Amino acid sequence: MPVWVDNDDDDDEDGGFGVWVDLDYEGFGFGSGCGLLLLSLFLSVNLGSEGGELNVKVSKREVVAAVLPLQEHWLPLSNLDLLLPPVDVGVFFCYKKNTSLLGKDLSNNFGSMVGVLKKALAQALVTYYAFAGEVVSNPVGEPEILCNNRGVDFVEAFAEAELKDLDFYKPDDTIEGKLVPKKKHGVLAVRHVTELKCGGLVVACTFDHRIADAYSANLFLVSWAEMAQSKPISTVPCFRRSLLNPRRPGSIHPSLNDMYIPVTSLPPPKDPQRGDDYLISRIYYIKADQLNLLQSLATTTNGCRRTKLESFSAFLWKMVAKHAILNNVDKKVTKMGVVVDGRTTLSDGDIDKASLMGSYFGNVLSIPYGGKEVNEIDENPLSYVAKEVHDFLDGAVTKEHFLGLIDWVESHRPVPGLAKIYCSGSEDGPAFVVSSGQRFPESKVDFGWGKPIFGSYHFPWGGDLGYVMPMPSPSCNGDWVVYVHLLKGQEEGSFEMY
């Protein structure tokens, strides 16, 4: 029976933050006592489960451009940017009505708050000018950024709901197309700034993944909030593409050909079959003590300790394998990739380069992956699977790996490349990617009316591949909020099989 745990600091009814905790979960094949609590995340009331419909009404649309004029120019994408398909990523933040601000110059008035957001956005776009541009094709058909200060689509809206009524357990119903609509133009869209009946506020953005990874988007979000509070920008973005130039001559390790593939060599896609499962999004909450337990179970017999991300990724892999067993695909190969950020690796101890890479705006990612028969993942202990995760990650967290990847892209241009984990052929089993969101700067995205009580990335990217992103909880106490985009059967058959 689910139990409500209130994490709010007061006794009011303005949409406090809490979680539904189901206490009787028993994990598959982990031994007694290992009941990982994958907790459904709600804000007080599960609107979706009661059949409620979230109605969002747009009240105003406009375009916000940088406050200062910009010399029009073209900014090329780096070789690592060129590995990303044209997909958009959403992110949203929820704010309570802050009664302590009433009567001050910045009251809890929606119009005043929107004015602050737009003014700060126009200021932030002076520095983050790539987000105010457009993606165009160069003469050989590759994407690049036309920095023309086209501006950002900015939409104001009102939702007939209170913060406590929003069901974030099922973001496909409440977030997708409503609080985080699809981007139609440009590189970045602030869609929407949504006022709620309780006086709360939801701020949501969507950006083109070819232009920025989550690290870059986080830099922008923090800078936007700093401008809103009349603070100087703490991190000025670096657009120096020469930091990721290919080597002359290039040097490509054979392992990169196992990880990446030119799009002209993609295998034929799976034939859709009647009754095929489909991808759904869910948001879960995991307590710190359960993560610690999971980490201890992933520790090898010789005491080799795995990271929480490695341990959690191994757990997910076993859950996906268990679902495959139940669906009689036990002989196929299941694949899991983990996104690796190369900024620290490429710095290689160089203080000056570390400073530049720490502010670099763009994609600096690789997606190493492992592939094993479903039976092997299912039958072996968590420590074995965690070692497999560690081993395929180990080869990708080196400077040479990222330099070689840059060279690999250069050797195939202008033909685009793609991570092989994204490519599912007819003989492939289930596959998914885990991307750590532990740098998610939720507590720093304060526009002047308090920190958000909840936020998350939202990435229903539209392919056949699953996607999972664990982020720190708003309470900053070691708990995780986990965005999960997997097959309906995988989630309902594994995560929610209590």
Side-chain angles (χ1 to χ4, degrees), residues 54-56 58 171-183 191-192 206 458 460:
L54 178 63
N55 295 311
V56 179
V58 172
D172 291 333
D173 297 334
T174 54
I175 302 302
E176 178 69 12
K178 294 180 179 180
L179 298 178
V180 184
K182 296 185 181 299
K183 178 178 66 64
R191 308 172 56 88
H192 298 86
T206 306
H458 180 64

Side-chain angles (χ1 to χ4, degrees), residues 362-378:
N363 289 282
V364 193
L365 306 176
S366 181
I367 312 180
Y369 72 92
K372 294 288 180 181
E373 270 199 9
V374 167
N375 272 331
E376 184 176 349
I377 296 298
D378 177 61

Side-chain angles (χ1 to χ4, degrees), residues 64-86:
V64 176
V67 68
L68 297 178
L70 176 71
Q71 179 67 44
E72 183 173 296
H73 65 283
W74 284 261
L75 180 65
L77 301 189
S78 77
N79 280 9
L80 297 182
D81 291 324
L82 294 174
L83 286 169
L84 273 295

Side-chain angles (χ1 to χ4, degrees), residues 419-481:
K420 273 191 177 181
I421 186 69
Y422 288 133
C423 314
S424 295
S426 57
E427 299 303 315
D428 292 321
F432 67 102
V433 166
V434 178
S435 178
S436 174
Q438 292 305 308
R439 292 194 180 107
F440 189 51
E442 190 170 20
S443 63
K444 297 180 180 179
V445 188
D446 180 353
F447 294 101
W449 44 82
K451 298 176 182 178
I453 66 164
F454 178 63
S456 174
Y457 271 95
H458 180 64
F459 188 40
W461 72 289
D464 296 326
L465 186 76
Y467 180 84
V468 178
M469 175 180 272
M471 294 159 281
S473 81
S475 55
C476 300
N477 60 356
D479 297 352
W480 281 5
V481 170

Side-chain angles (χ1 to χ4, degrees), residues 387-443:
K387 182 182 183 302
E388 292 297 322
V389 177
H390 176 82
D391 288 347
F392 75 68
L393 280 174
D394 195 46
V397 291
T398 66
K399 180 179 180 181
E400 180 57 35
H401 170 81
F402 277 91
L403 293 177
L405 182 54
I406 294 169
D407 293 342
W408 184 93
V409 176
E410 187 68 16
S411 70
H412 291 88
R413 291 178 65 179
V415 176
L418 191 66
K420 273 191 177 181
I421 186 69
Y422 288 133
C423 314
S424 295
S426 57
E427 299 303 315
D428 292 321
F432 67 102
V433 166
V434 178
S435 178
S436 174
Q438 292 305 308
R439 292 194 180 107
F440 189 51
E442 190 170 20
S443 63

Side-chain angles (χ1 to χ4, degrees), residues 167-244:
D167 176 10
F168 291 124
Y169 170 58
K170 298 179 179 178
D172 291 333
D173 297 334
T174 54
I175 302 302
E176 178 69 12
K178 294 180 179 180
L179 298 178
V180 184
K182 296 185 181 299
K183 178 178 66 64
K184 295 182 179 179
H185 307 288
V187 176
L188 170 74
V190 180
R191 308 172 56 88
H192 298 86
V193 176
T194 305
E195 181 185 15
L196 304 172
K197 284 199 303 184
C198 61
L201 188 72
V202 179
V203 178
C205 303
T206 306
F207 63 91
D208 191 323
H209 201 343
R210 293 173 296 177
I211 308 307
D213 55 16
Y215 183 99
S216 304
N218 292 344
L219 292 178
F220 165 76
L221 291 166
V222 172
S223 296
W224 184 14
E226 290 169 339
M227 297 302 293
Q229 296 198 58
S230 300
K231 296 178 180 179
I233 290 180
S234 56
T235 304
V236 177
C238 169
F239 295 96
R240 190 182 299 180
R241 300 304 194 223
S242 60
L243 291 169
L244 301 180

